[in-house]
């Protein structure tokens, strides 16, 4: 499937959407479909080889729109891991490193303290990111993930941290799956303005599967007003890539080229 390249000029395919598609085939599939951008994940990049991956993607003429992920600031080695992730993003030419902040420390119920530690950790990483030319993008996750994955649960909370820094150094991710429910989201998107570093789309379906992590669907298969969100980030001044990022076991079971075709179709119908 090859779509109009003009229609796809902002489209990016997040690697996690086709979880089992080998990187060379993924890159070839994106090129064949006229896709200009690709969001990458650290684990499969490391498995393939960082320098080898950078050469492959660059040689194919694809832009790396984001690298996932940094963060998880409760881990004992969080600083080294995040410094390494920043360097990996720079090597890949990814302008944005997505940060998932991590949940509550083991045995703690102090969510305010956990959020303060996230801000402190980002402040510690910011000089290295600035020097590398990589934006640290704070991604708020739906509140159901606050205990174990991300104590930053709203776009407003993410902005409270990001606004302490230049937008080129620290920004925010507007991920439809995580923010659509928030009755202040459009106000917060307008507030975010130049701090919007990435916009990611998928859809929300029910019932959520056990564990809830794999409850995302292709754009148009759920209940999120994706075009309204896209119009809001556009109005806020964001002109960058729009990534389709879906975690869903049934989607992952399909051939990669079919997944990519479905992502493009949903993007064209429901987002743009």
């Amino acid at each position: 499937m090859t779509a109009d390249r003009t229609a796809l000029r902002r489209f990016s395919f997040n690697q996690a959407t086709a979880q089992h598609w080998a990187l060379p085939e993924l890159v070839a599939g994106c090129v064949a479909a006229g896709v200009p951008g690709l969001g990458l994940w650290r684990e499969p990049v490391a498995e393939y080889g960082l320098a080898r991956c950078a050469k492959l993607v660059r040689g194919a003429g694809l832009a790396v729109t984001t690298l996932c992920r940094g963060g998880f600031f409760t881990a004992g080695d969080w600083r080294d891991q995040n410094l390494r992730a920043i360097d990996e993003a720079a090597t890949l030419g990814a302008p944005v490193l997505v940060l998932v902040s991590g949940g509550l420390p083991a045995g703690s119920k102090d969510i305010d303290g956990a959020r303060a530690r996230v801000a402190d950790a980002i402040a510690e990483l910011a000089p290295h990111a600035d020097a590398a030319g990589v934006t640290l993008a704070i991604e708020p996750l739906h509140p159901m993930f606050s205990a174990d994955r991300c104590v930053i649960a709203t776009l407003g909370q993410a902005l409270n941290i990001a606004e302490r820094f230049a937008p080129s150094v620290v920004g925010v991710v507007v991920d439809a799956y995580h923010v659509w429910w928030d009755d202040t989201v459009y106000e917060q998107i307008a507030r975010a303005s130049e701090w919007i570093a990435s916009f990611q789309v998928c859809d929300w379906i029910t019932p959520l599967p056990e564990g809830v992590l794999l409850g995302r669907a292709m754009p148009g298969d759920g209940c999120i007003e994706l075009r309204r969100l896209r119009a809001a980030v556009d109005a806020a001044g964001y002109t960058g890539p729009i990534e389709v990022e879906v975690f869903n076991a049934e989607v992952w079971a399909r051939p990669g080229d079919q997944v990519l075709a479905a992502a493009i179709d949903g993007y064209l119908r429901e987002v743009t």
Side-chain angles (χ1 to χ4, degrees):
M1 173 183 178
T2 302
D4 180 347
R5 290 181 184 271
T6 301
L8 291 180
R9 64 183 179 82
R10 296 177 67 186
F11 177 85
S12 178
F13 186 68
N14 190 284
Q15 182 177 23
T17 306
Q19 181 84 352
H20 305 300
W21 210 6
L23 189 59
E25 286 72 30
L26 168 64
V27 167
C30 286
V31 171
V35 169
L38 189 60
L40 295 175
W41 281 69
R42 293 183 67 204
E43 293 81 2
V45 166
E47 184 178 341
Y48 189 75
L50 176 63
R52 188 177 172 213
C53 178
K55 182 179 179 181
L56 174 68
V57 175
R58 192 175 295 119
L62 293 174
V64 180
T65 53
T66 62
L67 179 65
C68 286
R69 62 197 171 187
F72 285 92
F73 299 121
T74 55
D77 62 346
W78 70 265
R79 187 177 186 278
D80 289 344
Q81 281 293 333
N82 279 276
L83 292 175
R84 189 175 300 121
I86 291 166
D87 292 341
E88 290 167 6
T91 298
L92 292 167
V96 172
L97 175 66
V98 175
L99 301 181
V100 175
S101 301
L104 292 168
S108 173
K109 298 182 180 181
D110 181 6
I111 196 165
D112 293 334
R115 288 176 180 144
R117 280 189 290 276
V118 170
D120 291 343
I122 290 171
E124 191 169 338
L125 297 172
H128 190 73
D130 189 18
V134 173
T135 300
L136 302 174
I138 306 166
E139 180 173 14
L141 266 58
H142 190 283
M144 65 184 171
F145 295 111
S146 291
D148 61 343
R149 287 186 178 272
C150 190
V151 293
I152 305 300
T154 68
L155 192 54
Q157 291 167 3
L159 284 167
N160 289 343
I161 299 172
E163 287 173 341
R164 304 175 193 181
F165 305 88
S168 61
V169 181
V170 180
V172 297
V173 180
V174 179
D175 184 324
Y177 185 78
H178 295 300
V179 304
W180 73 275
W181 58 273
D182 185 351
D183 63 349
T184 72
V185 67
Y186 294 101
E187 173 188 338
Q188 296 301 329
I189 288 173
R191 170 190 168 192
S193 184
E194 58 190 323
W195 277 274
I196 300 174
S198 178
F199 178 42
Q200 297 179 330
V201 296
C202 65
D203 224 326
W204 181 285
I205 51 172
T206 53
L208 291 172
E210 183 179 357
V212 304
L213 187 63
L214 307 186
R216 296 176 177 231
M218 286 293 176
D221 290 346
C223 60
I224 302 178
E225 293 180 292
L226 292 170
R227 190 172 292 109
R228 183 182 177 195
L229 284 170
R230 193 268 307 157
V233 298
D234 285 359
Y238 180 74
T239 59
I242 302 171
E243 284 189 15
V244 173
E245 183 187 57
V246 175
F247 307 149
N248 185 297
E250 291 182 5
V251 170
W252 290 345
R254 298 163 59 188
D257 57 345
Q258 292 183 19
V259 176
L260 177 58
I264 290 171
D265 179 64
Y267 170 83
L268 295 175
R269 283 187 296 103
E270 302 293 333
V271 181
T272 63

